[in-house]
Amino acid sequence: MKKGKIDMPNYNFECQDCQEAFEVRATIKEMEEGKISCIKCNSKNIKRIFNGFGFCSGKSSSSMNSSSSSCNSCSSGSCSTCGG
């Protein structure tokens, strides 16, 4: 990472006025200050959408969408099998 460059996370939103789903790259400060508005109608009446995700690490796995103990990349139940 270059010095002085700040990586900003992406946030997913849905406008409660026009139902437009959109993604915004913003700082935490911009999020806290309510500086995000709908990209279609410019409304501030937006709702953040939290997408589920899963990941594998070593021999254990974790998934935010599922209570299963298997890796999301395969059905073996072990990440060492799929290399995930």
Side-chain angles (χ1 to χ4, degrees):
M1 183 165 68
K2 293 180 181 179
K3 188 175 182 179
K5 181 181 176 187
I6 299 172
D7 288 327
M8 295 183 290
N10 292 335
Y11 297 98
N12 295 309
F13 292 94
E14 181 178 61
C15 179
Q16 300 301 290
D17 293 335
C18 74
Q19 284 68 50
E20 177 76 9
F22 59 97
E23 182 177 84
V24 175
R25 180 170 275 204
T27 64
I28 294 172
K29 184 176 181 179
E30 289 172 325
M31 289 283 296
E32 290 173 348
E33 293 177 351
K35 294 186 176 183
I36 311 297
S37 60
C38 176
I39 61 170
K40 184 176 180 182
C41 71
N42 209 33
S43 171
K44 295 273 187 190
N45 186 18
I46 57 175
K47 180 179 178 183
R48 186 163 171 206
I49 301 169
F50 293 93
N51 294 335
F53 63 92
F55 62 91
C56 296
S57 176
K59 291 187 178 186
S60 65
S61 65
S62 177
S63 173
M64 297 301 287
N65 284 336
S66 171
S67 61
S68 76
S69 62
S70 67
C71 175
N72 288 339
S73 300
C74 64
S75 60
S76 73
S78 171
C79 291
S80 61
T81 305
C82 71

Coordinates of all heavy atoms in Angstrom, one line a residue:
M1 N 0.8 -1.2 0.0 CA 0.0 0.0 0.0 C 0.9 1.2 0.0 O 1.8 1.3 0.8 CB -0.9 0.0 1.2 CG -1.9 1.1 1.3 SD -3.2 0.9 2.4 CE -2.4 1.0 4.0
K2 N 0.6 2.2 -0.8 CA 1.3 3.4 -0.9 C 1.1 4.3 0.3 O 0.0 4.4 0.8 CB 0.9 4.2 -2.2 CG 1.3 3.5 -3.5 CD 0.9 4.3 -4.7 CE 1.3 3.6 -5.9 NZ 0.9 4.3 -7.1
K3 N 2.1 5.0 0.7 CA 2.0 5.9 1.8 C 1.0 7.0 1.5 O 1.1 7.6 0.4 CB 3.3 6.5 2.2 CG 3.3 7.3 3.5 CD 4.7 7.7 3.9 CE 4.7 8.4 5.2 NZ 6.0 8.9 5.6
G4 N 0.1 7.3 2.4 CA -0.9 8.4 2.2 C -2.1 7.9 1.5 O -3.1 8.6 1.5
K5 N -2.2 6.7 1.0 CA -3.4 6.2 0.3 C -4.2 5.5 1.3 O -3.8 4.7 2.1 CB -3.0 5.3 -0.8 CG -4.2 4.7 -1.5 CD -3.8 3.7 -2.6 CE -5.0 3.1 -3.2 NZ -4.7 2.1 -4.2
I6 N -5.5 5.9 1.4 CA -6.4 5.3 2.3 C -7.4 4.4 1.5 O -8.1 4.8 0.6 CB -7.2 6.4 3.1 CG1 -6.3 7.2 3.9 CG2 -8.3 5.7 4.0 CD1 -7.0 8.5 4.5
D7 N -7.4 3.1 1.9 CA -8.4 2.2 1.3 C -9.7 2.3 2.0 O -9.8 2.2 3.2 CB -7.9 0.7 1.4 CG -6.7 0.5 0.5 OD1 -6.6 1.1 -0.6 OD2 -5.8 -0.4 0.9
M8 N -10.7 2.6 1.2 CA -12.0 2.7 1.8 C -12.9 1.5 1.5 O -12.8 1.0 0.4 CB -12.7 4.0 1.2 CG -12.0 5.3 1.6 SD -12.9 6.7 1.0 CE -12.6 6.6 -0.8
P9 N -13.7 1.1 2.4 CA -14.6 -0.1 2.2 C -15.8 0.3 1.3 O -16.1 1.5 1.2 CB -15.0 -0.5 3.6 CG -14.9 0.8 4.4 CD -13.8 1.5 3.8
N10 N -16.4 -0.7 0.7 CA -17.6 -0.5 0.0 C -18.8 -0.8 0.9 O -18.7 -1.8 1.7 CB -17.6 -1.5 -1.2 CG -16.6 -1.1 -2.3 OD1 -16.2 0.0 -2.4 ND2 -16.2 -2.1 -3.1
Y11 N -19.8 -0.1 0.7 CA -21.0 -0.3 1.5 C -22.2 -0.4 0.5 O -22.3 0.3 -0.5 CB -21.3 0.9 2.4 CG -20.2 1.1 3.5 CD1 -19.2 2.1 3.3 CD2 -20.3 0.4 4.6 CE1 -18.3 2.3 4.2 CE2 -19.3 0.6 5.6 CZ -18.3 1.5 5.4 OH -17.3 1.7 6.3
N12 N -23.1 -1.3 0.8 CA -24.3 -1.5 0.0 C -25.5 -0.9 0.6 O -25.7 -1.1 1.9 CB -24.5 -3.0 -0.2 CG -23.4 -3.7 -1.0 OD1 -23.0 -3.2 -2.1 ND2 -22.8 -4.7 -0.5
F13 N -26.3 -0.2 -0.2 CA -27.5 0.4 0.3 C -28.7 0.2 -0.6 O -28.5 -0.2 -1.7 CB -27.3 2.0 0.4 CG -26.3 2.4 1.3 CD1 -25.0 2.6 1.0 CD2 -26.6 2.7 2.7 CE1 -24.0 3.1 1.9 CE2 -25.7 3.2 3.6 CZ -24.4 3.3 3.2
E14 N -29.9 0.4 0.0 CA -31.1 0.4 -0.8 C -31.8 1.7 -0.4 O -32.1 2.0 0.8 CB -32.0 -0.8 -0.5 CG -33.2 -0.8 -1.4 CD -34.1 -2.0 -1.1 OE1 -34.5 -2.2 0.0 OE2 -34.3 -2.8 -2.1
C15 N -32.3 2.4 -1.4 CA -33.0 3.7 -1.2 C -34.4 3.3 -0.8 O -35.1 2.5 -1.4 CB -33.0 4.5 -2.4 SG -34.0 6.0 -2.3
Q16 N -34.9 3.9 0.3 CA -36.3 3.6 0.8 C -37.3 4.4 0.0 O -38.5 4.1 0.1 CB -36.4 3.9 2.3 CG -35.4 3.1 3.1 CD -35.6 1.6 2.9 OE1 -36.6 1.0 3.4 NE2 -34.7 0.9 2.3
D17 N -36.9 5.3 -0.8 CA -37.8 6.1 -1.6 C -38.0 5.6 -3.0 O -39.2 5.4 -3.5 CB -37.4 7.6 -1.7 CG -37.5 8.3 -0.4 OD1 -38.3 7.9 0.5 OD2 -36.7 9.2 -0.2
C18 N -36.9 5.2 -3.7 CA -37.0 4.7 -5.1 C -36.6 3.3 -5.3 O -36.7 2.7 -6.4 CB -36.2 5.6 -6.0 SG -34.4 5.4 -5.9
Q19 N -36.2 2.6 -4.2 CA -35.8 1.2 -4.1 C -34.6 0.9 -5.0 O -34.3 -0.3 -5.3 CB -37.0 0.3 -4.6 CG -38.1 0.1 -3.5 CD -38.9 1.3 -3.2 OE1 -39.4 1.9 -4.2 NE2 -39.0 1.7 -2.0
E20 N -33.8 1.9 -5.3 CA -32.5 1.7 -6.0 C -31.5 1.0 -5.1 O -31.3 1.5 -4.0 CB -32.0 3.0 -6.5 CG -30.7 2.9 -7.2 CD -30.8 2.3 -8.6 OE1 -31.9 2.2 -9.1 OE2 -29.7 2.1 -9.2
A21 N -30.9 -0.1 -5.5 CA -29.8 -0.7 -4.7 C -28.5 -0.2 -5.3 O -28.4 -0.2 -6.6 CB -29.9 -2.3 -4.9
F22 N -27.6 0.2 -4.5 CA -26.3 0.7 -5.0 C -25.2 0.5 -4.0 O -25.4 0.2 -2.8 CB -26.5 2.2 -5.3 CG -26.9 3.1 -4.1 CD1 -25.9 3.8 -3.3 CD2 -28.2 3.2 -3.7 CE1 -26.3 4.6 -2.3 CE2 -28.6 4.0 -2.7 CZ -27.7 4.7 -1.9
E23 N -24.0 0.6 -4.5 CA -22.8 0.4 -3.7 C -22.0 1.7 -3.7 O -21.9 2.4 -4.7 CB -21.9 -0.7 -4.3 CG -20.7 -1.0 -3.6 CD -19.9 -2.2 -4.2 OE1 -19.2 -1.9 -5.1 OE2 -20.1 -3.3 -3.8
V24 N -21.5 2.1 -2.5 CA -20.8 3.3 -2.3 C -19.4 3.0 -1.6 O -19.4 2.2 -0.7 CB -21.5 4.3 -1.4 CG1 -20.7 5.6 -1.1 CG2 -22.8 4.7 -2.1
R25 N -18.4 3.6 -2.1 CA -17.1 3.5 -1.4 C -17.0 4.8 -0.6 O -17.0 5.9 -1.1 CB -15.9 3.5 -2.4 CG -14.6 3.4 -1.8 CD -13.6 3.1 -2.8 NE -13.6 1.6 -3.0 CZ -12.6 0.9 -3.4 NH1 -11.5 1.5 -3.8 NH2 -12.6 -0.4 -3.4
A26 N -16.8 4.6 0.8 CA -16.9 5.8 1.6 C -16.0 5.5 2.9 O -15.7 4.3 3.2 CB -18.3 6.0 2.1
T27 N -15.6 6.6 3.5 CA -14.9 6.5 4.8 C -15.9 6.2 5.9 O -17.1 6.5 5.8 CB -14.1 7.7 5.1 OG1 -15.0 8.8 5.3 CG2 -13.1 8.1 4.0
I28 N -15.4 5.8 7.0 CA -16.3 5.6 8.2 C -16.8 7.0 8.6 O -18.0 7.1 9.0 CB -15.5 4.9 9.4 CG1 -15.1 3.5 9.0 CG2 -16.3 5.0 10.7 CD1 -14.2 2.8 9.9
K29 N -16.0 8.0 8.6 CA -16.5 9.3 8.9 C -17.6 9.8 8.0 O -18.6 10.3 8.5 CB -15.3 10.3 8.8 CG -15.7 11.7 9.3 CD -14.5 12.7 9.2 CE -14.9 14.0 9.7 NZ -13.7 15.0 9.7
E30 N -17.5 9.5 6.7 CA -18.6 9.9 5.8 C -19.9 9.1 6.2 O -21.0 9.7 6.1 CB -18.3 9.6 4.4 CG -17.2 10.5 3.8 CD -16.7 10.1 2.5 OE1 -16.6 8.9 2.2 OE2 -16.4 11.0 1.6
M31 N -19.7 7.9 6.6 CA -20.9 7.0 7.0 C -21.5 7.6 8.3 O -22.7 7.8 8.3 CB -20.5 5.6 7.3 CG -20.1 4.8 6.0 SD -21.5 4.3 5.1 CE -22.2 3.2 6.4
E32 N -20.7 8.0 9.2 CA -21.2 8.5 10.5 C -21.9 9.8 10.4 O -22.8 10.1 11.1 CB -20.0 8.6 11.5 CG -19.5 7.2 12.0 CD -18.3 7.4 12.9 OE1 -17.7 8.4 12.9 OE2 -17.9 6.3 13.5
E33 N -21.4 10.6 9.5 CA -21.9 12.0 9.3 C -23.1 12.0 8.3 O -23.7 13.1 8.1 CB -20.8 12.9 8.7 CG -19.7 13.2 9.8 CD -18.6 14.0 9.2 OE1 -18.5 14.3 8.0 OE2 -17.7 14.4 10.0
G34 N -23.5 10.9 7.8 CA -24.7 10.8 7.0 C -24.5 11.5 5.6 O -25.5 12.1 5.1
K35 N -23.3 11.4 5.1 CA -23.1 12.1 3.8 C -23.4 11.2 2.6 O -23.2 11.7 1.5 CB -21.6 12.5 3.7 CG -21.2 13.6 4.8 CD -19.8 14.0 4.6 CE -19.5 15.2 5.6 NZ -18.2 15.7 5.4
I36 N -24.0 10.0 2.8 CA -24.3 9.2 1.7 C -25.7 9.4 1.3 O -26.6 9.5 2.1 CB -24.2 7.7 2.1 CG1 -22.8 7.4 2.8 CG2 -24.4 6.7 0.9 CD1 -21.6 7.6 2.0
S37 N -26.0 9.5 0.0 CA -27.3 9.6 -0.5 C -27.5 8.7 -1.7 O -26.6 8.3 -2.3 CB -27.6 11.1 -0.9 OG -26.7 11.5 -1.9
C38 N -28.8 8.5 -2.1 CA -29.1 7.6 -3.2 C -28.5 8.2 -4.5 O -28.5 9.4 -4.8 CB -30.6 7.5 -3.4 SG -31.1 6.6 -4.8
I39 N -27.9 7.3 -5.3 CA -27.2 7.7 -6.5 C -28.2 8.0 -7.6 O -27.9 8.6 -8.6 CB -26.2 6.6 -7.0 CG1 -26.9 5.3 -7.3 CG2 -25.1 6.4 -6.0 CD1 -26.1 4.2 -8.0
K40 N -29.5 7.5 -7.4 CA -30.5 7.7 -8.5 C -31.4 9.0 -8.2 O -31.5 9.8 -9.1 CB -31.4 6.5 -8.6 CG -32.5 6.6 -9.6 CD -33.3 5.3 -9.7 CE -34.3 5.3 -10.8 NZ -35.1 4.1 -10.8
C41 N -31.9 9.1 -6.9 CA -32.8 10.2 -6.6 C -32.3 11.2 -5.6 O -32.9 12.1 -5.3 CB -34.2 9.7 -6.2 SG -34.1 8.9 -4.5
N42 N -31.1 10.9 -5.1 CA -30.3 11.8 -4.2 C -31.0 11.9 -2.8 O -30.7 12.7 -2.0 CB -30.2 13.2 -4.7 CG -29.0 13.9 -4.2 OD1 -27.9 13.3 -3.9 ND2 -29.0 15.2 -4.0
S43 N -31.9 10.9 -2.5 CA -32.5 10.9 -1.2 C -31.5 10.4 -0.1 O -30.7 9.6 -0.3 CB -33.7 9.9 -1.2 OG -34.2 9.7 0.1
K44 N -31.7 10.9 1.1 CA -30.9 10.5 2.3 C -31.7 9.4 3.0 O -31.1 8.8 4.0 CB -30.7 11.7 3.2 CG -29.9 12.8 2.7 CD -28.4 12.5 2.9 CE -27.6 13.7 2.5 NZ -26.2 13.4 2.5
N45 N -32.9 9.0 2.5 CA -33.7 7.9 3.2 C -33.2 6.6 2.6 O -33.8 6.0 1.8 CB -35.1 8.2 2.9 CG -36.0 7.2 3.6 OD1 -35.6 6.5 4.6 ND2 -37.3 7.0 3.1
I46 N -32.0 6.2 3.1 CA -31.4 4.9 2.6 C -31.2 4.0 3.7 O -31.1 4.4 4.9 CB -30.0 5.2 1.9 CG1 -29.1 5.9 2.8 CG2 -30.2 6.0 0.6 CD1 -27.7 6.1 2.3
K47 N -31.1 2.7 3.4 CA -30.9 1.6 4.4 C -29.7 0.8 4.0 O -29.6 0.4 2.8 CB -32.2 0.8 4.5 CG -32.1 -0.4 5.5 CD -33.4 -1.2 5.5 CE -33.3 -2.3 6.4 NZ -34.5 -3.1 6.4
R48 N -28.8 0.6 4.9 CA -27.6 -0.2 4.6 C -28.0 -1.7 4.5 O -28.8 -2.2 5.3 CB -26.6 0.0 5.7 CG -25.3 -0.7 5.3 CD -24.1 -0.2 6.1 NE -23.0 -1.1 5.9 CZ -22.0 -1.3 6.8 NH1 -22.0 -0.6 7.9 NH2 -21.0 -2.1 6.5
I49 N -27.5 -2.3 3.5 CA -27.7 -3.8 3.3 C -26.5 -4.5 3.7 O -25.4 -4.2 3.2 CB -28.0 -4.0 1.8 CG1 -29.3 -3.3 1.3 CG2 -28.2 -5.5 1.5 CD1 -29.5 -3.3 -0.2
F50 N -26.6 -5.5 4.5 CA -25.5 -6.3 5.0 C -25.6 -7.6 4.2 O -26.5 -8.4 4.4 CB -25.6 -6.6 6.5 CG -25.4 -5.3 7.3 CD1 -26.4 -4.6 7.7 CD2 -24.1 -4.9 7.6 CE1 -26.2 -3.4 8.4 CE2 -23.9 -3.8 8.3 CZ -24.9 -3.0 8.8
N51 N -24.6 -7.9 3.4 CA -24.5 -9.1 2.6 C -23.8 -10.2 3.4 O -22.8 -9.9 4.1 CB -23.8 -8.9 1.3 CG -24.5 -8.0 0.3 OD1 -25.7 -7.9 0.4 ND2 -23.8 -7.3 -0.6
G52 N -24.3 -11.4 3.3 CA -23.6 -12.5 4.0 C -22.3 -12.9 3.3 O -22.2 -12.6 2.1
F53 N -21.4 -13.5 4.0 CA -20.2 -14.0 3.3 C -19.7 -15.2 4.1 O -20.1 -15.5 5.2 CB -19.2 -12.9 3.3 CG -18.7 -12.4 4.7 CD1 -17.6 -13.0 5.3 CD2 -19.4 -11.4 5.3 CE1 -17.2 -12.6 6.5 CE2 -19.0 -11.0 6.6 CZ -17.9 -11.6 7.2
G54 N -18.8 -15.9 3.5 CA -18.2 -17.1 4.1 C -16.7 -17.1 3.8 O -16.2 -16.4 2.9
F55 N -15.9 -17.7 4.7 CA -14.5 -17.8 4.4 C -13.9 -19.1 5.0 O -14.6 -19.7 5.9 CB -13.8 -16.6 5.0 CG -13.9 -16.5 6.5 CD1 -13.0 -17.1 7.3 CD2 -14.9 -15.8 7.0 CE1 -13.1 -17.0 8.7 CE2 -15.1 -15.7 8.4 CZ -14.2 -16.3 9.3
C56 N -12.8 -19.5 4.5 CA -12.1 -20.7 4.9 C -10.7 -20.3 5.4 O -10.1 -19.5 4.8 CB -12.0 -21.8 3.8 SG -13.6 -22.4 3.2
S57 N -10.3 -20.9 6.5 CA -8.9 -20.7 7.0 C -8.4 -21.9 7.6 O -9.0 -22.4 8.6 CB -9.0 -19.5 8.0 OG -7.7 -19.3 8.6
G58 N -7.3 -22.5 7.1 CA -6.7 -23.7 7.6 C -7.7 -24.8 7.6 O -8.3 -25.1 6.6
K59 N -7.8 -25.6 8.7 CA -8.7 -26.7 8.7 C -10.1 -26.4 9.3 O -11.0 -27.2 9.3 CB -8.1 -27.8 9.6 CG -6.9 -28.4 9.0 CD -6.4 -29.6 9.8 CE -5.2 -30.3 9.1 NZ -4.8 -31.5 9.7
S60 N -10.3 -25.1 9.7 CA -11.6 -24.7 10.2 C -12.2 -23.8 9.1 O -11.6 -23.3 8.3 CB -11.4 -23.9 11.5 OG -10.8 -22.7 11.3
S61 N -13.5 -23.7 9.2 CA -14.3 -22.8 8.3 C -15.3 -22.1 9.1 O -15.8 -22.5 10.1 CB -14.9 -23.6 7.1 OG -15.8 -24.5 7.6
S62 N -15.7 -21.0 8.5 CA -16.8 -20.2 9.1 C -17.7 -19.6 8.0 O -17.2 -19.2 6.9 CB -16.2 -19.0 9.9 OG -17.2 -18.2 10.4
S63 N -18.9 -19.5 8.3 CA -19.9 -18.9 7.3 C -20.9 -18.1 8.0 O -21.4 -18.5 9.0 CB -20.6 -20.1 6.5 OG -21.6 -19.5 5.7
M64 N -21.1 -16.9 7.5 CA -22.1 -16.0 8.1 C -23.5 -16.4 7.6 O -24.4 -15.9 8.2 CB -21.8 -14.5 7.7 CG -20.4 -14.1 8.2 SD -20.3 -14.2 10.0 CE -21.3 -12.8 10.5
N65 N -23.6 -17.1 6.6 CA -24.9 -17.5 6.0 C -25.4 -18.8 6.5 O -26.6 -19.2 6.3 CB -24.9 -17.5 4.5 CG -24.8 -16.2 3.9 OD1 -25.3 -15.2 4.5 ND2 -24.3 -16.0 2.7
S66 N -24.6 -19.6 7.1 CA -24.9 -21.0 7.3 C -24.4 -21.5 8.7 O -23.3 -21.0 9.1 CB -24.4 -21.9 6.2 OG -24.6 -23.3 6.5
S67 N -25.0 -22.4 9.3 CA -24.5 -23.0 10.5 C -23.8 -24.3 10.2 O -23.4 -25.0 11.2 CB -25.7 -23.2 11.5 OG -26.6 -24.1 10.9
S68 N -23.6 -24.7 9.0 CA -22.9 -25.9 8.7 C -21.5 -25.8 8.9 O -20.9 -24.7 8.9 CB -23.2 -26.3 7.2 OG -22.4 -25.5 6.3
S69 N -20.8 -26.9 9.1 CA -19.4 -26.9 9.4 C -18.5 -27.1 8.1 O -17.3 -27.2 8.2 CB -19.0 -27.9 10.4 OG -19.3 -29.2 9.9
S70 N -19.1 -27.2 7.0 CA -18.4 -27.4 5.7 C -17.9 -26.1 5.1 O -18.5 -25.1 5.3 CB -19.2 -28.2 4.8 OG -20.3 -27.5 4.3
C71 N -16.9 -26.3 4.3 CA -16.4 -25.1 3.5 C -17.4 -24.7 2.5 O -18.0 -25.5 1.9 CB -15.1 -25.6 2.9 SG -14.3 -24.3 1.8
N72 N -17.5 -23.4 2.2 CA -18.4 -22.9 1.2 C -18.0 -23.3 -0.2 O -18.7 -23.3 -1.2 CB -18.6 -21.4 1.3 CG -19.4 -21.0 2.5 OD1 -20.1 -21.8 3.0 ND2 -19.2 -19.8 2.9
S73 N -16.7 -23.6 -0.4 CA -16.1 -23.9 -1.7 C -16.3 -25.4 -2.1 O -16.2 -25.7 -3.3 CB -14.6 -23.6 -1.8 OG -14.4 -22.3 -1.5
C74 N -16.6 -26.3 -1.2 CA -16.8 -27.7 -1.5 C -17.7 -28.3 -0.5 O -18.2 -27.7 0.5 CB -15.4 -28.4 -1.5 SG -14.6 -28.4 0.1
S75 N -17.9 -29.6 -0.6 CA -18.8 -30.3 0.3 C -18.1 -31.3 1.2 O -18.7 -32.1 1.8 CB -19.9 -31.0 -0.5 OG -19.3 -32.0 -1.4
S76 N -16.8 -31.1 1.2 CA -16.0 -32.1 2.0 C -16.0 -31.9 3.5 O -15.7 -32.8 4.3 CB -14.5 -32.1 1.5 OG -13.9 -30.9 2.0
G77 N -16.3 -30.7 3.9 CA -16.2 -30.4 5.3 C -14.9 -30.0 5.8 O -14.6 -29.8 7.0
S78 N -13.9 -30.0 5.0 CA -12.5 -29.7 5.3 C -11.9 -28.8 4.3 O -11.8 -29.2 3.1 CB -11.7 -31.0 5.5 OG -10.3 -30.7 5.6
C79 N -11.4 -27.6 4.7 CA -10.8 -26.7 3.7 C -9.5 -27.3 3.2 O -9.0 -26.8 2.1 CB -10.6 -25.4 4.4 SG -12.1 -24.5 4.7
S80 N -8.8 -28.2 3.9 CA -7.6 -28.7 3.4 C -7.8 -29.6 2.2 O -6.9 -29.8 1.4 CB -6.9 -29.6 4.5 OG -7.7 -30.7 4.9
T81 N -9.0 -30.0 1.9 CA -9.3 -30.8 0.7 C -9.4 -30.0 -0.5 O -8.9 -30.3 -1.5 CB -10.7 -31.6 0.9 OG1 -10.6 -32.4 2.1 CG2 -11.0 -32.5 -0.3
C82 N -10.1 -28.8 -0.4 CA -10.2 -28.0 -1.6 C -9.2 -26.9 -1.7 O -9.1 -26.2 -2.7 CB -11.6 -27.3 -1.6 SG -11.8 -26.0 -0.3
G83 N -8.4 -26.7 -0.7 CA -7.3 -25.6 -0.7 C -7.9 -24.3 -0.4 O -7.2 -23.3 -0.6
G84 N -9.2 -24.2 0.0 CA -9.8 -22.9 0.2 C -9.4 -22.2 1.5 O -8.7 -22.6 2.3

